[in-house]
Amino acid sequence: MQSRTPAPRATGRPRSAAAHSAILAATREALVELGWSKLTLGDVARRAGVAKTTLYRRWAGKNELVVDAVAELFDELELPDRGSLAADIEGVVLQFAAILDRPEARNGLMAVVAESTRDDALRERVRASIVDRQKRLVLTGRTRAQRRGELPPESGPEETARKIDLIFDMVAGAVVHRTLVSAEPADDEWAREFTRVLLLGLTGAED
């Protein structure tokens, strides 16, 4: 009888998608109620109804767990096809602002950003799990606009990467500052004006 080599055990996501979602949801709930400093993996496990060892098998510690919990919220962002580049930008800006209006997103993002200022490894995880993942929206939007003839193609991959970074920084930075720092509404009127400035520049004039 031939011996069978055991199949490698899956890593990362728990076998139960429901358990995975419950853990991340419990993390966001704890962030809102307790804040970063008082949140513990034991409390998250209790809220999620799982063993504490389940968390330690998937996350090295609190930092990684909290970043993944926050990242899941921003994965809800989609770039709507509203027929024009301007309308597409307005749509994603309003979605982003709506997510940041949720206490679990607002508290979670502010917590990981604050902690990452003194933790280089955490900063890299925020960049990889949140920032880099959401740059897909900019790439999708530019490609769509280029197919419509609204934007010219770039000269090469390096220029594309630079522009993707710049556009993401401008959009994300403006919305985060507006909603979390200034605590002002990013409503339809603000989204339209921001998009106009983004596309035309400060001295640009509409046709």
Side-chain angles (χ1 to χ4, degrees), residues 82-192:
R82 301 172 72 178
S84 71
L85 177 58
D88 290 354
I89 293 172
E90 289 175 25
V92 78
V93 163
L94 292 171
Q95 278 188 62
F96 188 22
I99 289 175
L100 290 176
D101 193 46
R102 293 156 61 177
E104 63 270 30
R106 181 171 60 248
N107 291 17
L109 183 62
M110 294 291 271
V112 297
V113 169
E115 288 298 315
S116 70
T117 62
R118 47 185 177 266
D119 186 332
D120 290 342
L122 179 58
R123 184 184 297 114
E124 288 301 316
R125 191 173 182 93
V126 170
R127 181 180 293 115
S129 299
I130 299 176
V131 175
D132 289 346
R133 285 214 308 242
Q134 298 314 317
K135 286 181 181 177
R136 63 187 169 81
L137 300 172
V138 180
L139 183 59
T140 298
R142 284 192 65 78
T143 301
R144 185 186 293 164
Q146 287 167 344
R147 288 174 180 168
R148 293 181 185 134
E150 296 174 294
L151 292 175
E154 290 86 9
S155 60
E158 290 185 1
E159 183 186 0
T160 298
R162 285 196 302 270
K163 287 189 176 179
I164 294 297
D165 287 346
L166 180 59
I167 294 169
F168 180 87
D169 289 346
M170 292 171 70
V171 174
V175 178
V176 168
H177 189 278
R178 176 75 176 178
T179 57
L180 301 187
V181 180
S182 297
E184 296 288 345
D187 53 17
D188 289 354
E189 181 180 358
W190 184 86
R192 282 193 299 271

Side-chain angles (χ1 to χ4, degrees), residues 58-71:
R58 273 90 187 174
W59 291 279
K62 179 169 73 172
N63 289 357
E64 293 80 7
L65 174 60
V66 170
V67 171
D68 285 359
V70 174

Side-chain angles (χ1 to χ4, degrees), residues 11 28 30 38 51 54 65 69 73 75 81 85 96 113 138 152 167 178 191 199 207:
T11 59
R28 294 189 292 268
K38 294 182 179 179
T54 300
L65 174 60
L73 294 176
D75 284 341
D81 188 347
L85 177 58
F96 188 22
V113 169
V138 180
I167 294 169
R178 176 75 176 178
L199 295 181
D207 295 334

